[in-house]
Amino acid sequence: MLNRLDNWLTHHSDHPDLRGGRRFLTEFWFFGLKEARACLFAGLFFIAMFVVPREGWAGMARYDLLLIFALVVQAAMLAYGFETWDEVKSITLFHVIGFALEVFKTSGSIQSWAYPGAGYTKLFGVPLFTGFMYAAVGSYIIQAWRLFNIKIQSHPPYWLATLAALLVYANFFTHHYIGDYRGYIGAFILGLYARTTVYFTPYDRVRKMPLLLAFVLIGFFIWLAENIGTFAGVWQYPNQLGAWSAVHISKWSAWSLLVIMTFVIVANLKHIKHTIAISRD
């Protein structure tokens, strides 16, 4: 069923008769449909956060059920061809990177946030399902790349993009000890991707936008999803222990930087590299 849906979403001949408001609405509609399809894993995962009761179900803790659900969905996407083994390897890397960050951020000396619920599948106080929250970002980018037939123009050299990603990741740890250099890293990334353009096809015609804008927009929607997750009580920041409050807006920039790091990993996939044109000047 999803294969037929993907074919319907991605194969459209040119419609020169579509103009003005009709074209805008048609392209906007298909853009929304493709975005929803690209968020299949992330969407199902966040729905599960609300559906699974806080006290668990059938004698199993909430965190354990979420891990089982994530594994089943991931296996199904691989089995039905919605992700390849190479893509799963990258998603697994996101899982490991995200889980390592979670362990550090929830450690006794840092305590940036906490997972107060019980669960058998907790390691170092962190539920194993949390890595899938980061993997969901990678899954979204991979799926969107295919559905929107994305191509990148004037991408920076891979070694510079990799350096930027490493600096982003390192700063998530080091800012607790030597200061937060997010602003400097962000300025470096702005210069690095200033000319980079992403070309995508919502319906029948290719559109373009600055890649930096895409990073910011994706980061914003992840920030919204984070608000949903904390509201559901899956995890909590210190200021949410007494009563829920919105996640601080600064997390938007943090998520945007994490999206850039995820993008760099996805851009190194073999079948995606041929859609990226590296800047030569």
Short mmCIF file of all heavy atoms in Angstrom, two decimals, residues 23 35 40 45 58 62 71 98 105-107 122 129 132-134 156 173-174 196 205 225 227 255 267-268 275 277:
data_model
loop_
_atom_site.label_atom_id
_atom_site.label_comp_id
_atom_site.label_asym_id
_atom_site.label_seq_id
_atom_site.Cartn_x
_atom_site.Cartn_y
_atom_site.Cartn_z
N ARG A 23 -2.22 26.35 -8.63
CA ARG A 23 -0.88 25.73 -8.58
C ARG A 23 -0.33 25.78 -7.17
O ARG A 23 0.20 24.79 -6.68
CB ARG A 23 0.08 26.42 -9.56
CG ARG A 23 1.54 25.99 -9.35
CD ARG A 23 2.40 26.22 -10.56
NE ARG A 23 2.04 25.33 -11.65
CZ ARG A 23 2.45 24.06 -11.73
NH1 ARG A 23 3.20 23.52 -10.78
NH2 ARG A 23 2.12 23.31 -12.76
N GLU A 35 5.64 15.45 3.18
CA GLU A 35 6.22 15.66 4.50
C GLU A 35 5.65 14.65 5.50
O GLU A 35 6.39 14.08 6.31
CB GLU A 35 5.94 17.08 4.99
CG GLU A 35 6.78 18.15 4.32
CD GLU A 35 8.22 18.11 4.78
OE1 GLU A 35 8.49 17.71 5.93
OE2 GLU A 35 9.10 18.49 4.00
N LEU A 40 6.90 9.25 8.57
CA LEU A 40 6.18 8.03 8.95
C LEU A 40 6.70 7.45 10.25
O LEU A 40 5.94 7.22 11.19
CB LEU A 40 6.30 6.99 7.83
CG LEU A 40 5.65 5.63 8.12
CD1 LEU A 40 4.15 5.78 8.29
CD2 LEU A 40 5.96 4.64 6.99
N PHE A 45 6.00 7.10 16.03
CA PHE A 45 6.70 7.05 17.31
C PHE A 45 6.10 8.04 18.31
O PHE A 45 5.86 7.70 19.48
CB PHE A 45 8.18 7.34 17.09
CG PHE A 45 9.05 7.05 18.28
CD1 PHE A 45 9.29 5.74 18.67
CD2 PHE A 45 9.63 8.07 18.99
CE1 PHE A 45 10.09 5.45 19.76
CE2 PHE A 45 10.44 7.80 20.09
CZ PHE A 45 10.66 6.49 20.47
N ALA A 58 -0.21 -4.15 30.28
CA ALA A 58 -0.01 -5.61 30.34
C ALA A 58 1.22 -5.97 31.15
O ALA A 58 1.96 -6.91 30.82
CB ALA A 58 0.08 -6.19 28.93
N ARG A 62 6.18 1.66 30.43
CA ARG A 62 6.00 2.52 29.25
C ARG A 62 7.25 2.56 28.38
O ARG A 62 7.18 2.42 27.16
CB ARG A 62 5.65 3.93 29.73
CG ARG A 62 5.36 4.93 28.63
CD ARG A 62 5.24 6.32 29.21
NE ARG A 62 4.48 7.21 28.37
CZ ARG A 62 4.29 8.49 28.64
NH1 ARG A 62 4.81 9.02 29.73
NH2 ARG A 62 3.59 9.27 27.83
N LEU A 71 11.28 -0.76 17.55
CA LEU A 71 11.98 -1.85 16.86
C LEU A 71 11.09 -2.51 15.81
O LEU A 71 11.55 -2.83 14.70
CB LEU A 71 12.43 -2.89 17.88
CG LEU A 71 13.61 -2.49 18.78
CD1 LEU A 71 13.80 -3.51 19.90
CD2 LEU A 71 14.90 -2.35 17.97
N GLY A 98 22.92 9.64 19.54
CA GLY A 98 21.89 10.23 20.39
C GLY A 98 21.87 9.64 21.77
O GLY A 98 21.75 10.36 22.77
N LYS A 105 23.86 13.82 29.23
CA LYS A 105 22.99 14.91 29.67
C LYS A 105 22.16 14.56 30.91
O LYS A 105 21.74 15.45 31.65
CB LYS A 105 22.05 15.33 28.54
CG LYS A 105 22.74 16.00 27.36
CD LYS A 105 23.21 17.40 27.71
CE LYS A 105 23.68 18.16 26.48
NZ LYS A 105 24.12 19.54 26.81
N THR A 106 21.90 13.27 31.11
CA THR A 106 21.10 12.86 32.27
C THR A 106 21.96 12.38 33.43
O THR A 106 21.42 11.96 34.46
CB THR A 106 20.12 11.73 31.88
OG1 THR A 106 20.87 10.62 31.36
CG2 THR A 106 19.13 12.20 30.83
N SER A 107 23.28 12.41 33.27
CA SER A 107 24.18 11.93 34.31
C SER A 107 24.06 12.80 35.57
O SER A 107 23.59 13.95 35.52
CB SER A 107 25.62 11.92 33.82
OG SER A 107 26.05 13.23 33.48
N LYS A 122 16.42 0.24 30.60
CA LYS A 122 17.14 1.48 30.88
C LYS A 122 18.61 1.14 31.11
O LYS A 122 18.93 0.20 31.85
CB LYS A 122 16.56 2.19 32.10
CG LYS A 122 15.16 2.74 31.88
CD LYS A 122 14.60 3.41 33.13
CE LYS A 122 15.16 4.78 33.34
NZ LYS A 122 14.48 5.51 34.44
N PHE A 129 14.96 3.29 24.21
CA PHE A 129 14.16 3.81 23.10
C PHE A 129 14.57 5.23 22.71
O PHE A 129 14.26 5.69 21.60
CB PHE A 129 12.67 3.79 23.46
CG PHE A 129 12.19 4.99 24.23
CD1 PHE A 129 11.78 6.15 23.56
CD2 PHE A 129 12.15 4.98 25.61
CE1 PHE A 129 11.35 7.26 24.27
CE2 PHE A 129 11.72 6.08 26.32
CZ PHE A 129 11.32 7.23 25.65
N PHE A 132 16.04 6.21 19.39
CA PHE A 132 15.17 6.25 18.22
C PHE A 132 14.61 7.65 17.97
O PHE A 132 14.18 7.96 16.87
CB PHE A 132 14.03 5.25 18.38
CG PHE A 132 14.44 3.83 18.09
CD1 PHE A 132 14.69 2.95 19.13
CD2 PHE A 132 14.61 3.39 16.79
CE1 PHE A 132 15.08 1.64 18.88
CE2 PHE A 132 14.99 2.08 16.53
CZ PHE A 132 15.24 1.21 17.58
N MET A 133 14.60 8.50 18.99
CA MET A 133 14.15 9.88 18.77
C MET A 133 15.12 10.62 17.87
O MET A 133 14.73 11.44 17.05
CB MET A 133 14.00 10.60 20.12
CG MET A 133 12.90 10.02 21.00
SD MET A 133 12.53 11.01 22.47
CE MET A 133 14.05 10.86 23.40
N TYR A 134 16.40 10.31 18.01
CA TYR A 134 17.41 10.90 17.12
C TYR A 134 17.40 10.19 15.77
O TYR A 134 17.56 10.82 14.72
CB TYR A 134 18.79 10.79 17.77
CG TYR A 134 18.90 11.55 19.07
CD1 TYR A 134 18.50 10.98 20.27
CD2 TYR A 134 19.40 12.85 19.10
CE1 TYR A 134 18.59 11.67 21.46
CE2 TYR A 134 19.49 13.56 20.29
CZ TYR A 134 19.08 12.96 21.47
OH TYR A 134 19.17 13.65 22.65
N PRO A 156 29.38 22.48 0.57
CA PRO A 156 30.79 22.65 0.95
C PRO A 156 31.54 21.32 0.86
O PRO A 156 30.92 20.25 0.87
CB PRO A 156 30.71 23.15 2.39
CG PRO A 156 29.38 22.67 2.89
CD PRO A 156 28.48 22.72 1.70
N PHE A 173 28.67 18.59 24.64
CA PHE A 173 29.32 18.07 25.84
C PHE A 173 30.16 19.14 26.52
O PHE A 173 30.05 19.36 27.74
CB PHE A 173 30.22 16.88 25.47
CG PHE A 173 29.49 15.68 24.95
CD1 PHE A 173 29.19 15.57 23.60
CD2 PHE A 173 29.10 14.66 25.80
CE1 PHE A 173 28.52 14.46 23.10
CE2 PHE A 173 28.43 13.54 25.32
CZ PHE A 173 28.13 13.44 23.97
N THR A 174 31.00 19.81 25.75
CA THR A 174 32.01 20.69 26.33
C THR A 174 31.45 21.98 26.92
O THR A 174 32.09 22.59 27.77
CB THR A 174 33.07 21.06 25.29
OG1 THR A 174 32.44 21.72 24.18
CG2 THR A 174 33.78 19.80 24.77
N THR A 196 24.71 27.32 -0.38
CA THR A 196 24.17 25.99 -0.66
C THR A 196 22.66 26.06 -0.87
O THR A 196 21.94 26.65 -0.07
CB THR A 196 24.50 25.02 0.49
OG1 THR A 196 25.90 25.04 0.74
CG2 THR A 196 24.07 23.61 0.13
N ARG A 205 7.03 20.27 -10.57
CA ARG A 205 8.09 21.21 -10.93
C ARG A 205 9.10 21.34 -9.80
O ARG A 205 8.74 21.24 -8.62
CB ARG A 205 7.51 22.58 -11.29
CG ARG A 205 6.65 22.55 -12.54
CD ARG A 205 6.19 23.92 -12.95
NE ARG A 205 5.35 23.86 -14.13
CZ ARG A 205 4.76 24.92 -14.69
NH1 ARG A 205 4.93 26.13 -14.14
NH2 ARG A 205 4.02 24.77 -15.77
N ALA A 225 7.85 19.10 18.46
CA ALA A 225 7.67 17.71 18.86
C ALA A 225 8.21 17.47 20.26
O ALA A 225 7.64 16.68 21.04
CB ALA A 225 8.36 16.79 17.86
N ASN A 227 8.20 19.61 22.68
CA ASN A 227 7.17 20.11 23.59
C ASN A 227 6.08 19.07 23.81
O ASN A 227 5.58 18.90 24.92
CB ASN A 227 6.57 21.42 23.04
CG ASN A 227 7.40 22.64 23.39
OD1 ASN A 227 7.32 23.16 24.49
ND2 ASN A 227 8.22 23.09 22.45
N TRP A 255 18.46 22.04 18.22
CA TRP A 255 17.93 21.04 17.31
C TRP A 255 18.33 21.33 15.87
O TRP A 255 18.61 20.40 15.09
CB TRP A 255 16.41 20.94 17.44
CG TRP A 255 15.95 20.10 18.58
CD1 TRP A 255 15.29 20.52 19.70
CD2 TRP A 255 16.14 18.69 18.73
NE1 TRP A 255 15.06 19.45 20.53
CE2 TRP A 255 15.56 18.31 19.96
CE3 TRP A 255 16.74 17.72 17.93
CZ2 TRP A 255 15.57 17.00 20.41
CZ3 TRP A 255 16.76 16.39 18.39
CH2 TRP A 255 16.17 16.05 19.60
N ALA A 267 24.30 12.69 3.98
CA ALA A 267 24.92 13.11 2.72
C ALA A 267 26.07 12.20 2.30
O ALA A 267 26.50 12.24 1.15
CB ALA A 267 25.42 14.55 2.84
N ASN A 268 26.55 11.37 3.21
CA ASN A 268 27.64 10.46 2.90
C ASN A 268 27.16 9.09 2.45
O ASN A 268 27.99 8.22 2.14
CB ASN A 268 28.56 10.31 4.11
CG ASN A 268 29.55 11.45 4.23
OD1 ASN A 268 30.60 11.46 3.59
ND2 ASN A 268 29.21 12.44 5.04
N THR A 275 23.66 12.99 -5.87
CA THR A 275 22.71 14.10 -5.99
C THR A 275 23.25 15.39 -5.40
O THR A 275 22.56 16.39 -5.36
CB THR A 275 21.38 13.76 -5.28
OG1 THR A 275 21.61 13.67 -3.87
CG2 THR A 275 20.82 12.43 -5.78
N ALA A 277 26.19 18.34 -5.49
CA ALA A 277 27.25 18.99 -6.26
C ALA A 277 28.11 19.80 -5.29
O ALA A 277 27.63 20.74 -4.65
CB ALA A 277 26.65 19.91 -7.32
#
